[in-house]
Amino acid sequence: MERMVDRSVSAAAFTDEAGAALPEHADVIVVGGGIVGASISYHLNLLGKTDVLMLEANVLASGTTWHAAGLVNAGRGSAAMTELSKYGAQFYKELEEKSGIDVSFVEAGSLSVARTPGRVDEILYAKDVADQCGVRNEYLSEERLREVWPIAETEGVLGALLMLDDGYMNPGWASVAIAKLAHEAGTTVREQARATNLLVENGRVTGVVTERGAVTANTVVLACGLWTRDLADKVGVPVPLYPAEHVHVRSNEVEGAVPTLPVYRDLDNSYYLRHEHGRLLVGAFEPDGLPRGTHEFSTEGFAEFPEDWAHFSKIRTQAEKTVPGLADAGYDRFLNAPESFTPDAEFILGETAEVEGLFVAAGFNSQGIIYGPGVGKKLADWIVSGSSDFASTSVDVRRFSKQQNNRHYLHARTVEALGRLYAMHWPAKQVDTARYVRRTPLYQRLEEHGACFGEVNGLERAFWYGDPGSRPEYDYSYGRTSWFENVAAEHRATREGVTLFDLSPFAKFEVVGPDALAVCQRVATADIDVSVNKGVYTLFLNKNGTIELDGTITRLAEDKFLVVTPSFTQHQTEAMLNKEAKGRAAAVFNATASLATIAVNGPRSRELMQLVAPNEDWSNEAQPYTHGRMIEIADGYAYCLRVSFVGELGFEIYPSADLAINVLDALLDAGKPLGVKFAGYHALDSLRSEKGFRHHGHDIGPDVDPYSAGLGFTLAKDKPGGFIGLEAVRQLDPKSPRLRTVYVKLDDPEPLFVHDETVYCNGKQVGRLTSGAYGHTIGGAVGIALIDPNVDFEGVFEVKCKGVLYPATVQRRPFYDPKGERLKG
């Protein structure tokens, strides 16, 4: 029996001790008794951690799990997330047999229909990812679509993808079943034990305060759903998530509604359908969500909001148009309950930056059922091993800026966030809500020159430029967009002349003090004990020897260093530096907002620097590649570092924020005879892809070691004191990497790379693209891939793009300036 929306769920199904006294101590406390908390507890048990305490404020699954629709998906939009969801689908298939609890799992499959050409492209790319990851699927003809869903109208459907390993089940009882497995494996389960605060000493979590008393612990996991933000906030930890109303309704009996019907997703109309007792459940992911603060609903479990048929009317109309039987049947249940959503529509996972030993697994954007088992497994591994072992950058709790935890901001963003799961996932898609909150010091001038802005972790950045004085806007496509040629022009201007990039969003930190060198040496793989004004590219590893960050460290003085890392790693970088500085004679200052960054790039960049700073010597001898110095520029002074992320001669200027516009205006004025132009982040991505520079979060991350990344040259294994991860790195054979990083170019100049395209050699799948763009200099899509290290490079290579295999050239050196001669001027 399916027992959906069942309020009888509780630990009483397997124990009579859930109300017993709390222990004084536990090795690990998991706060939250939903499907994620239960999964984490169980997977910790499987790894040998049996002293686990799971605390639930009310009864198991009474937060958001109980009202979920129970949809199970094996495939997702990326290879990394499919790894998690595929594990979950298999886990649920075996759960009833393992637990002895009826979870009503039905492997009916799931169907995504496309009503626009863009959506057809999207599901074809989804099919490619599914094929790559071994998820069974079928792209349906109209005739097959009618066979699979005979009670649905097919008018207006342009394409349909059936995922055969998907299905549905009862989420509340699945949560109880996993909790039972955890209980039997050693987890202590306690209900009616609301956590009210966390215990923290010297920056490390030491326990949890509950309404029934305090319990000490070595590790604490916050898996308490929409309550996670408020609990974490009590100890200064930002976890940006926010609740919204989330609705599904159930029809009366519908003729033809049978258990074997796949879940039906009408993505373009923002709803799904699933079978329930001869009825159809209609759920909404509407684009105009209704945010609700945690103060607006009950804390007592099984919280609901009033019915709102008016808000649901658009969804209802579209669903009844697809399945006319719904209108005839009517409805017998309206479920409106809270679910939490995040600013970027990705969930939140991992150890927090502010409090050591405090982990988070929350903000699943209504996908907690899909990811619960996989997240439980991966977070348990993370806790036991000390670091992530999968491509977790996109879901890492440290990816956000602290500003994004603001509730006014979150309320505004959540209007849009709820619907993003079913919205088009266009390449370069930008959000519309809660925009223009944080801006770089150069924002106003860039806007005047026609910048089209996008947002990354709450900060506006110029992605491309229209004409000066214009207000360009994005249009989206899986092919060439209207702004494709704008980016091409910026790319060519950088390769042939001189351009200006606003790189102010990059994270910037100063490490100062007698032990500043020791701090930098410990976090960096490269040797940072270099001459003053020398910059060094380096990796930052975790103790398991995989990549946490990359960036540059420049020695400004004997006891002062400038650390620059990717913008969305600001929170993470600060935590790593502060952790190593703790107890040492060193201080870490966040200079991200106080220093602008203007990149001057291109073969004529030296000429421009000579014009704007004529009192300086701009010869190679005066400032070699990777060296910096303080320069007199415009009407002030700024630090200038000779580096480039585009594969050309270049300089990065770091004026103070109050001087930034003055320096930029001087560059623009002096650069007029040289034809200086602005260039944005899309051009930057195109340029660095041709040159083969890595992009953190795509090409490198905690699932990649330095040798697989082709970055073994950054490892100073014999430097005094070593570095984090050195012992793990010593276990690796640089001549036999686990994977090999290569450079890929399509021979056909027309197709574009999107993400995760599969690479084939002699007809066999050998790897995937990790990032890519269009190479306007080399005349084709170009990217970086991780492949089998034993591949025969004399073989025939192809890359699958939207279901089509395209001939490709694969090589070990970048396609543009492979020897780096242009960087050195």
Side-chain angles (χ1 to χ4, degrees):
M1 187 175 181
E2 290 180 68
R3 300 172 292 173
M4 290 289 290
V5 192
D6 190 344
R7 295 170 179 78
S8 70
V9 290
S10 79
F14 58 83
T15 180
D16 58 3
E17 298 179 354
L22 300 179
E24 294 183 357
H25 178 82
D27 182 15
V28 182
I29 296 177
V30 178
V31 181
I35 204 150
V36 174
S39 175
I40 295 166
S41 301
Y42 175 57
H43 285 91
L44 282 168
N45 299 151
L46 294 181
L47 293 177
K49 281 194 173 289
T50 55
D51 185 12
V52 178
L53 172 64
M54 183 168 65
L55 299 174
E56 168 52 47
N58 300 292
V59 295
L60 295 184
S62 62
T64 58
T65 300
W66 73 280
H67 66 71
L71 309 185
V72 177
N73 290 66
R76 306 308 290 153
S78 70
M81 293 301 103
T82 297
E83 180 185 0
L84 302 184
S85 59
K86 183 180 177 182
Y87 175 84
Q90 184 61 39
F91 184 92
Y92 289 129
K93 291 177 189 178
E94 303 168 357
L95 180 56
E96 187 168 323
E97 182 179 352
K98 286 183 176 180
S99 68
I101 291 180
D102 177 10
V103 300
S104 305
F105 177 79
V106 179
E107 191 180 38
S110 75
L111 179 68
S112 295
V113 301
R115 299 182 183 275
T116 66
R119 187 72 74 176
V120 171
D121 288 346
E122 181 177 280
I123 65 173
L124 287 173
Y125 274 108
K127 176 175 172 51
D128 286 353
V129 172
D131 289 342
Q132 180 188 120
C133 297
V135 176
R136 297 183 304 134
N137 67 87
E138 179 186 355
Y139 192 78
L140 303 184
S141 65
E142 183 175 350
E143 182 180 357
R144 275 287 289 142
L145 176 58
R146 291 182 185 277
E147 292 176 7
V148 170
W149 250 85
I151 62 174
E153 297 291 332
T154 59
E155 183 180 357
V157 175
L158 303 181
L161 180 64
L162 177 63
M163 306 294 275
L164 297 164
D165 296 324
D166 295 357
Y168 56 86
M169 50 91 182
N170 184 290
W173 286 102
S175 183
V176 172
I178 300 171
K180 180 187 178 186
L181 293 177
H183 170 71
E184 293 171 347
T187 292
T188 299
V189 178
R190 292 292 182 265
E191 296 180 323
Q192 305 299 333
R194 183 182 309 280
T196 59
N197 211 333
L198 302 172
L199 299 174
V200 177
E201 291 182 14
N202 298 318
R204 181 172 182 87
V205 72
T206 59
V208 176
V209 179
T210 79
E211 291 179 343
R212 295 168 57 187
V215 183
T216 60
N218 302 318
T219 303
V220 173
V221 182
L222 301 184
C224 39
L226 46 84
W227 306 107
T228 303
R229 182 209 169 275
D230 295 349
L231 183 57
D233 192 52
K234 292 186 176 183
V235 291
V237 173
V239 182
L241 56 81
Y242 202 80
E245 297 185 17
H246 195 36
V247 173
H248 57 70
V249 304
R250 188 179 69 175
S251 73
N252 293 308
E253 289 189 5
V254 174
E255 184 176 353
V258 295
T260 54
L261 284 177
V263 175
Y264 186 105
R265 289 184 174 86
D266 190 344
L267 302 172
D268 294 302
N269 286 316
S270 308
Y271 71 87
Y272 62 86
L273 306 169
R274 63 149 283 189
H275 170 268
E276 184 188 349
H277 290 310
R279 301 164 168 83
L280 290 178
L281 189 151
V282 185
F285 283 93
E286 69 273 26
D288 54 343
L290 299 175
R292 301 288 289 265
T294 52
H295 63 284
E296 297 183 70
F297 49 88
S298 170
T299 62
E300 299 306 312
F302 304 109
E304 290 188 69
F305 300 115
E307 297 180 2
D308 190 346
W309 284 100
H311 184 72
F312 189 71
S313 62
K314 292 181 181 178
I315 299 294
R316 176 180 179 176
T317 297
Q318 293 298 332
E320 291 175 354
K321 183 178 179 181
T322 299
V323 183
L326 283 170
D328 298 331
Y331 302 88
D332 71 351
R333 185 179 70 215
F334 191 111
L335 191 286
N336 187 8
E339 175 62 276
S340 61
F341 299 86
T342 62
D344 60 2
E346 302 285 356
F347 59 84
I348 303 175
L349 192 69
E351 187 173 17
T352 65
E354 293 78 10
V355 178
E356 190 175 353
L358 179 63
F359 290 78
V360 171
F364 283 89
N365 301 279
S366 199
Q367 299 174 87
I369 305 303
I370 293 171
Y371 289 123
V375 161
K377 182 179 187 302
K378 289 301 183 181
L379 191 63
D381 292 341
W382 196 331
I383 291 167
V384 172
S385 72
S387 60
S388 170
D389 66 353
F390 77 107
S392 56
T393 304
S394 66
V395 297
D396 195 303
V397 63
R398 300 166 296 179
R399 71 188 183 271
F400 297 105
S401 69
K402 295 179 182 180
Q403 165 269 324
Q404 290 180 282
N405 202 44
N406 175 276
R407 280 171 284 197
H408 182 270
Y409 167 87
L410 288 170
H411 187 282
R413 175 58 57 81
T414 302
V415 171
E416 177 182 8
L418 185 147
R420 287 187 67 188
L421 184 62
Y422 280 22
M424 281 295 303
H425 296 88
W426 297 112
K429 178 71 171 72
Q430 299 299 318
V431 293
D432 297 318
T433 53
R435 291 290 301 274
Y436 310 106
V437 175
R438 295 170 55 228
R439 314 179 192 202
T440 75
L442 306 177
Y443 175 89
Q444 181 179 353
R445 195 67 80 243
L446 305 187
E447 183 182 40
E448 293 168 358
H449 281 79
C452 185
F453 291 96
E455 183 236 54
V456 176
N457 69 335
L459 180 63
E460 299 295 322
R461 57 171 63 182
F463 275 95
W464 57 278
Y465 289 83
D467 294 330
S470 67
R471 294 291 182 269
E473 295 184 358
Y474 271 99
D475 67 290
Y476 299 107
S477 172
Y478 280 90
R480 283 166 168 73
T481 61
S482 64
W483 42 272
F484 180 86
E485 290 302 329
N486 297 65
V487 175
E490 296 167 22
H491 177 114
R492 286 191 290 268
T494 307
R495 288 276 184 253
E496 299 166 7
V498 59
T499 54
L500 305 177
F501 292 80
D502 178 15
L503 301 186
S504 302
F506 277 28
K508 300 175 284 287
F509 294 89
E510 291 183 356
V511 184
V512 183
D515 290 339
L517 175 61
V519 170
C520 291
Q521 287 283 59
R522 183 64 182 155
V523 299
T525 59
D527 190 354
I528 311 301
D529 191 5
V530 293
S531 60
V532 172
N533 287 323
K534 177 72 169 70
V536 179
Y537 173 73
T538 185
L539 300 178
F540 303 69
L541 306 183
N542 53 51
K543 71 176 188 178
N544 290 332
T546 57
I547 301 170
E548 289 288 321
L549 295 169
D550 74 331
T552 59
I553 300 181
T554 303
R555 190 169 201 165
L556 303 179
E558 288 298 320
D559 60 353
K560 184 177 182 180
F561 297 82
L562 175 66
V563 181
V564 181
T565 58
S567 61
F568 67 93
T569 68
Q570 180 183 160
H571 201 179
Q572 182 180 4
T573 305
E574 187 170 22
M576 291 186 73
L577 292 171
N578 278 325
K579 182 177 180 180
E580 289 306 317
K582 189 176 180 179
R584 300 179 190 261
V588 178
F589 300 99
N590 190 338
T592 305
S594 61
L595 291 177
T597 306
I598 305 170
V600 182
N601 286 314
R604 304 194 74 179
S605 57
R606 180 180 281 117
E607 294 177 64
L608 177 53
M609 296 305 294
Q610 184 67 65
L611 291 169
V612 79
N615 295 322
E616 308 292 346
D617 180 355
W618 291 100
S619 66
N620 266 323
E621 294 71 26
Q623 189 170 8
Y625 181 54
T626 72
H627 285 70
R629 56 179 172 160
M630 187 64 70
I631 62 170
E632 185 177 1
I633 185 170
D635 295 301
Y637 299 86
Y639 195 78
C640 177
L641 183 63
R642 189 177 155 196
V643 292
S644 168
F645 195 51
V646 303
E648 300 291 344
L649 177 66
F651 302 84
E652 289 181 0
I653 309 168
Y654 294 88
S656 58
D658 56 353
L659 193 64
I661 288 289
N662 177 265
V663 172
L664 180 63
D665 286 346
L667 285 164
L668 289 170
D669 186 57
K672 287 178 181 178
L674 305 177
V676 67
K677 296 182 181 299
F678 278 109
Y681 277 80
H682 289 317
L684 187 73
D685 196 40
S686 170
L687 293 156
R688 70 96 197 162
S689 293
E690 287 187 333
K691 178 57 183 168
F693 288 142
R694 312 301 191 270
H695 188 292
H696 177 69
H698 294 275
D699 308 311
I700 55 177
D703 58 322
V704 182
D705 66 80
Y707 296 124
S708 293
L711 300 174
F713 68 87
T714 67
L715 303 176
K717 291 187 286 187
D718 297 324
K719 70 177 180 179
F723 53 82
I724 298 169
L726 174 59
E727 292 309 310
V729 166
R730 289 194 190 279
Q731 305 305 310
L732 302 175
D733 181 357
K735 296 181 180 179
S736 182
R738 183 175 63 88
L739 297 168
R740 188 180 302 282
T741 292
V742 295
Y743 309 96
V744 181
K745 175 185 175 294
L746 293 185
D747 298 341
D748 185 332
E750 289 305 311
L752 304 179
F753 286 147
V754 176
H755 64 81
D756 281 343
E757 286 84 359
T758 308
V759 180
Y760 295 83
C761 181
N762 296 331
K764 179 184 176 182
Q765 179 177 318
V766 296
R768 66 179 178 87
L769 266 290
T770 52
S771 73
Y774 195 84
H776 296 282
T777 302
I778 64 175
V782 61
I784 295 173
L786 283 169
I787 67 170
D788 182 337
N790 299 313
V791 160
D792 175 11
F793 278 87
E794 299 302 317
V796 176
F797 286 93
E798 297 171 299
V799 177
K800 184 186 284 187
C801 301
K802 207 168 63 176
V804 178
L805 287 172
Y806 290 96
T809 301
V810 175
Q811 58 189 48
R812 297 190 186 193
R813 284 186 174 273
F815 288 91
Y816 185 78
D817 190 29
K819 295 183 179 179
E821 294 171 354
R822 294 182 69 86
L823 283 168
K824 298 176 182 179

